[in-house]
Amino acid sequence: MKHSVAPLDGGVVKAIILVCLADAVVGLSYGSLAAADGFPLWVPLALSTLVLAGASEFMFIGIVAGGGSPLTAAAAGLLVNARHLPFGIAVKDLVGKRAASLAGCHIMNDESVVFGLSQPTPAARIAAYWLCGIGIALSWPLSVMLGASLGKLIPDIRAIGLDAVFPAILMALTFPALRLRRTRLPALAGSLLALIAVPFVPAGLPVLVALCGLLIWKHKR
């Protein structure tokens, strides 16, 4: 049975475009950082197209630049991206079937999952998921390459506060779901657990700890 893709609300399309632009700005900094650390151009190009996961890419570059082995860096990246396992379960109806599912899984990221799951109808969820996923799959590698070409001209994103862009956007997108008590309690519990875990686990892993908040999820029929 095929799903029909309904037109998205103009506000949703604008929000997706803004997220892709924000992602591109971070990509500029990532590419610049990779070049400044002495990586050849093909490294950020391969990571941004084949891995397509910003957090693990930053971690890979940081670990190798700090003297760590590429295998250790890859293992750390896989651990950070372990959150994609529950993501995959949540969006199993959005990624498509057969050959299309390969592309659908490749464009799965925090933003496309949030946009996809936050829409009111199945058709709108599919449209939002694919539009955001494809937008980031195009804007991220292009911006990374541009950043790598510019080299050291772009400052670290932490110096100008761009590392806070994505958390702020994702938080705003989740506010409608927090109106319901059955989702608000697990979200608050997960947030608290993640904050507690921050000093004790590597960057990117607190989000996995936050999944423990689902243990108090209550299903209502």
Side-chain angles (χ1 to χ4, degrees):
M1 179 178 179
K2 295 184 178 179
H3 296 281
S4 60
V5 180
L8 290 172
D9 177 81
V12 175
V13 175
K14 290 179 181 178
I16 290 175
I17 292 174
L18 290 175
V19 165
C20 291
L21 289 175
D23 190 278
V25 172
V26 178
L28 288 173
S29 181
Y30 165 59
S32 174
L33 179 64
D37 285 335
F39 288 93
L41 188 61
W42 69 265
V43 173
L45 174 60
L47 291 174
S48 61
T49 53
L50 300 177
V51 179
L52 194 59
S56 61
E57 292 178 47
F58 270 105
M59 179 172 288
F60 182 91
I61 292 295
I63 291 176
V64 175
S69 72
L71 290 178
T72 300
L78 287 174
L79 188 58
V80 170
N81 279 352
R83 67 187 187 280
H84 285 199
L85 294 176
F87 282 178
I89 296 173
V91 300
K92 61 183 179 65
D93 295 327
L94 308 183
V95 298
K97 297 180 179 180
R98 297 186 178 88
S101 65
L102 297 177
C105 291
H106 186 60
I107 63 173
M108 181 174 60
N109 51 58
D110 298 354
E111 297 82 9
S112 63
V113 170
V114 170
F115 274 109
L117 296 181
S118 63
Q119 305 310 309
T121 65
R125 285 194 286 272
I126 293 174
Y129 176 83
W130 280 87
L131 180 60
C132 183
I134 292 174
I136 290 177
L138 294 175
S139 61
W140 178 254
L142 290 175
S143 63
V144 169
M145 289 300 95
L146 180 58
S149 300
L150 294 176
K152 298 182 180 181
L153 297 180
I154 301 175
D156 187 348
I157 58 173
R158 289 168 292 186
I160 52 180
L162 289 178
D163 54 329
V165 170
F166 282 126
I169 292 174
L170 293 176
M171 183 177 294
L173 292 173
T174 58
F175 276 157
L178 296 179
R179 296 173 183 171
L180 300 177
R181 186 173 184 271
R182 63 189 294 262
T183 55
R184 184 166 61 248
L185 290 179
L188 291 175
S191 299
L192 179 60
L193 291 173
L195 287 174
I196 294 174
V198 167
F200 307 104
V201 299
L205 295 188
V207 68
L208 298 180
V209 178
L211 293 175
C212 293
L214 294 175
L215 295 175
I216 64 172
W217 179 276
K218 294 182 178 180
H219 293 278
K220 293 184 178 180
R221 297 186 183 276

